[in-house]
Amino acid sequence: MNYRSITYILGWIMRVEGAFLFLPVIVALIYGEEVWTVYLASAVLTLAAGTLLSRKRGENFQLYAREGYVAVALGWIFMSLIGAVPLWLTGDIPRFVDALFEIISGFTTTGSSILSDVEALSRGGMFWRCFSHWIGGMGVLVFLLQIIPLSSGQTMYLMRAESPGPSVSKLVPKVRKTAFVLYGIYIGMTVLEILFLLLGRMPLYDTLCITFGTAGTGGFAVYSDSMAGYGPYLQIVVTVFMFLFGVNFSFYYLLLTKRVKEAFQIEEVRAYFALFAASSVLIALNLLPQLGNLADSLRHAAFQVSSIMTTTGFATVDFDKWPEFSRMLLVLLMFVGACAGSTGGGIKVSRVLMYTKTIKKELAFLVHPRSVKVILMDGKKMEHTVVRAANIFLITYLGILAVSVLLVSLDGKDFTTTVTAVITALNNVGPGLSLVGPMGNFGFFSDFSKIVLMFDMLAGRLEIFPLLLLFVPYTWKK
């Protein structure tokens, strides 16, 4: 283990976060809030510490798979600890455990909140809370790949550790250029949503906060009723952009390079489109007797399917009061999640496709034992290592889910609350059902349960293994 290399990366993460902390300073000054002093001090101290740690890269700088995974896992933990401090010191969230839960939920784009009165937050604190979604959506390490002078092989380890999905490939030959393309698409779509929301006369402050939550598929809103208080046009705009940010960014790159046919040949994207359409129609039909209006049923169904499937977590209604079929379908969509290579969480559509193809292959093998079949994705053979990694991911995922449910159940809450709280944390969704429904919050859990859920949020965002490696003794050997 090359500790100097990890320290260097952590230093750069602190420098970036320190720079971002100046944004809530500006917001607080605009609104005349005294919290700007806390954010300014946090920004300066974080920048200074980060500069100190990253001032020298060291002669024996090495960044291989082990260092890459550890740097990413520790980076997200350090980033969260630092990000929670101003929320705590300003008094916006008086308890540090709660502040840490809130900011981890922000950075991991989960959107679960311990707050019962969101409107009570300072404008600066609210902005930092929402902006954490935008930072975490694409990933701070992907951002760093454009800044840190590393070789292509070294940067690929960081990208693999932080990027969601069963496999990570370069859009262009150089990893740094790939990171540049990804962030270019991310920023472009963010600006586009801001413009569409402003056209609907949403206030600028609300527009920025809602856009950050949509782009990062996080779901922190500026009001306790989430998106319910906004008009149909604004809800439709957010529905569309939640869906778009859940698409594999490779799809947009192919469209931008005028390879339209190749873009629509991506199986995962086609399955994502179909699953969204089918789920929206089924829920709309199930809601029709309750709402009595097809247009409203389709609007609310499409919004909620887009929100849950992309693991954003916004809500226009209290879907916990919907018919049982609609509620259960939404829970299933929490597991599926969005596309790999997007800002969404969950198991990912690509893995679900892979598992489906694996089952089909095994069934064919039972009928024809001597047949030789391969799993194809987008017309290409899936490597055995990718399939094996996906299977191990599922086993580990289910194990963490089971243990977490057991631990959180010590709080003595009802079954639906306990199970959906863990599901929504591990899949980075946000709202669950019952007490943690769209109009509820996570503030009533004990500190121990909050720590378990924080671990789940980080594990879900980092695809489990980078975080688990921190607990393996071999990882730390030189």
Side-chain angles (χ1 to χ4, degrees):
M1 175 66 73
N2 191 318
Y3 292 102
R4 180 64 196 133
S5 301
I6 294 173
T7 303
Y8 179 76
I9 299 295
L10 292 178
W12 269 103
I13 290 173
M14 293 175 70
R15 289 170 71 172
V16 170
E17 186 171 14
F20 283 146
L21 277 166
F22 281 104
L23 294 177
V25 173
I26 297 170
V27 173
L29 285 171
I30 291 172
Y31 286 96
E33 296 174 333
E34 294 183 1
V35 299
W36 71 268
T37 56
V38 175
Y39 282 97
L40 180 61
S42 299
V44 172
L45 290 174
T46 304
L47 264 175
T51 302
L52 190 65
L53 289 175
S54 61
R55 71 188 189 282
K56 290 183 180 180
R57 197 167 72 168
E59 296 179 1
N60 190 31
F61 184 88
Q62 293 178 337
L63 193 66
Y64 298 115
R66 182 167 52 165
E67 286 83 3
Y69 285 115
V70 170
V72 167
L74 288 180
W76 278 74
I77 293 171
F78 271 67
M79 188 168 65
S80 300
L81 290 169
I82 293 167
V85 170
L87 289 174
W88 173 50
L89 292 180
T90 56
D92 275 337
I93 303 179
R95 299 180 68 250
F96 184 75
V97 171
D98 289 341
L100 185 60
F101 182 98
E102 199 76 10
I103 205 66
I104 286 178
S105 181
F107 282 133
T108 59
T109 72
T110 303
S112 299
S113 178
I114 51 86
L115 299 171
S116 58
D117 185 12
V118 176
E119 291 89 341
L121 286 178
S122 64
R123 289 281 184 162
M126 177 76 78
F127 184 89
W128 176 238
R129 173 179 176 263
C130 293
F131 187 64
S132 65
H133 280 333
W134 196 85
I135 298 171
M138 187 57 67
V140 68
L141 270 299
V142 173
F143 179 79
L144 284 178
L145 295 182
Q146 303 173 64
I147 304 173
I148 304 177
L150 300 175
S151 68
S152 183
Q154 292 174 323
T155 54
M156 196 61 189
Y157 290 125
L158 290 176
M159 196 166 185
R160 282 175 180 164
E162 190 178 49
S163 299
S167 62
V168 177
S169 59
K170 293 182 283 187
L171 300 179
V172 291
K174 293 185 178 180
V175 177
R176 184 175 294 178
K177 186 70 180 293
T178 296
F180 179 80
V181 170
L182 289 172
Y183 252 97
I185 295 170
Y186 191 50
I187 293 171
M189 289 174 64
T190 299
V191 172
L192 199 59
E193 183 181 359
I194 289 173
L195 294 175
F196 273 101
L197 291 178
L198 289 175
L199 284 174
R201 299 186 178 181
M202 180 182 279
L204 178 61
Y205 181 84
D206 292 20
T207 294
L208 292 175
C209 290
I210 295 299
T211 299
F212 295 149
T214 308
T217 59
F220 278 155
V222 293
Y223 299 109
S224 297
D225 65 356
S226 192
M227 289 291 298
Y230 298 104
Y233 168 80
L234 296 175
Q235 291 177 358
I236 291 170
V237 169
V238 173
T239 301
V240 172
F241 276 94
M242 284 190 296
F243 177 80
L244 293 177
F245 277 106
V247 176
N248 192 320
F249 276 34
S250 297
F251 174 80
Y252 298 126
Y253 176 73
L254 292 173
L255 291 181
L256 290 172
T257 53
K258 298 180 180 180
R259 288 182 278 175
V260 179
K261 185 177 180 182
E262 189 177 342
F264 282 96
Q265 286 178 342
I266 300 177
E267 287 185 59
E268 181 186 32
V269 173
R270 297 204 309 268
Y272 174 73
F273 280 39
L275 190 55
F276 168 78
S279 300
S280 298
V281 170
L282 287 172
I283 290 179
L285 292 175
N286 189 231
L287 286 177
L288 190 55
Q290 182 175 319
L291 300 181
N293 183 291
L294 182 60
D296 287 344
S297 297
L298 279 171
R299 176 163 56 87
H300 290 304
F303 184 98
Q304 229 46 78
V305 168
S306 183
S307 177
I308 296 300
M309 188 174 177
T310 62
T311 69
T312 304
F314 285 135
T316 55
V317 293
D318 186 358
F319 58 77
D320 192 36
K321 296 179 180 177
W322 281 2
E324 199 66 22
F325 173 81
S326 296
R327 294 167 74 240
M328 288 304 103
L329 184 51
L330 289 177
V331 171
L332 291 175
L333 291 175
M334 291 179 186
F335 285 102
V336 176
C339 295
S342 71
T343 61
I347 293 175
K348 304 295 181 302
V349 176
S350 58
R351 283 198 183 96
V352 174
L353 273 176
M354 198 183 305
Y355 298 141
T356 304
K357 289 173 182 269
T358 302
I359 293 170
K360 185 178 178 181
K361 176 188 173 184
E362 289 302 312
L363 289 174
F365 180 76
L366 290 174
V367 178
H368 304 288
R370 294 185 180 181
S371 63
V372 178
K373 291 185 177 293
V374 295
I375 299 174
L376 299 176
M377 189 75 78
D378 302 329
K380 300 176 183 177
K381 178 185 175 182
M382 290 295 298
E383 295 295 331
H384 174 70
T385 53
V386 175
V387 177
R388 181 182 62 83
N391 292 335
I392 294 173
F393 170 87
L394 183 61
I395 295 168
T396 311
Y397 170 94
L398 293 174
I400 291 175
L401 181 69
V403 172
S404 297
V405 167
L406 194 62
L407 294 175
V408 174
S409 69
L410 291 172
D411 273 8
K413 305 304 176 185
D414 64 273
F415 178 82
T416 303
T417 296
T418 300
V419 173
T420 59
V422 173
I423 291 172
T424 195
L426 190 55
N427 292 301
N428 305 132
V429 178
L433 298 176
S434 191
L435 297 179
V436 292
M439 301 306 158
N441 63 78
F442 290 68
F444 58 83
F445 280 115
S446 66
D447 287 350
F448 175 75
S449 289
K450 287 173 185 173
I451 291 170
V452 173
L453 294 172
M454 282 189 268
F455 174 87
D456 289 342
M457 288 189 281
L458 286 168
R461 175 57 182 84
L462 298 179
E463 301 270 291
I464 297 175
F465 295 110
L467 198 61
L468 289 184
L469 278 175
L470 297 181
F471 301 94
V472 178
Y474 175 78
T475 303
W476 303 100
K477 292 181 180 179
K478 290 188 177 181

